[in-house]
Amino acid sequence: MSEHRFTLDNTSVSNAPAAARPAHYPHNLRYEKPAGAARTTPEGTLRALSDLTVVTCACGLTTPALPNDDARLLYEEHRNVIRDETA
């Protein structure tokens, strides 16, 4: 049997903090309800903010407060873009 002993050289191992490492998954798509009571739409009608949604993603996507149906469409479009990126 060999008398040779192996030593571990830790100088080449990087222990970078998680913030310095690149993100494994650059997306975090979600809905958010805006804060406040109500707002006026461009058509001049008053809408409750409960009828509005903001779509955000970790990649930088942030929409203004949109009607729920429009926000849902935008969410689905971005989800399809994410799916195409990973495929």
Side-chain angles (χ1 to χ4, degrees):
M1 183 150 240
S2 173
E3 295 282 328
H4 188 352
R5 294 185 181 199
F6 294 97
T7 59
L8 182 59
D9 181 14
N10 287 332
T11 59
S12 64
V13 177
S14 173
N15 290 327
R21 290 186 219 139
H24 176 68
Y25 192 69
H27 298 282
N28 184 15
L29 188 60
R30 62 184 176 197
Y31 292 113
E32 294 179 355
K33 292 294 181 183
R39 76 167 184 109
T40 304
T41 63
E43 296 84 29
T45 59
L46 191 64
R47 291 189 75 124
L49 285 180
S50 63
D51 295 341
L52 301 174
T53 305
V54 175
V55 179
T56 61
C57 186
C59 70
L61 171 71
T62 302
T63 66
L66 298 171
N68 288 337
D69 293 337
D70 294 341
R72 182 80 169 143
L73 287 172
L74 195 112
Y75 180 95
E76 292 298 324
E77 287 176 7
H78 193 67
R79 192 178 74 154
N80 290 337
V81 168
I82 293 169
R83 183 196 62 213
D84 292 344
E85 285 179 4
T86 58

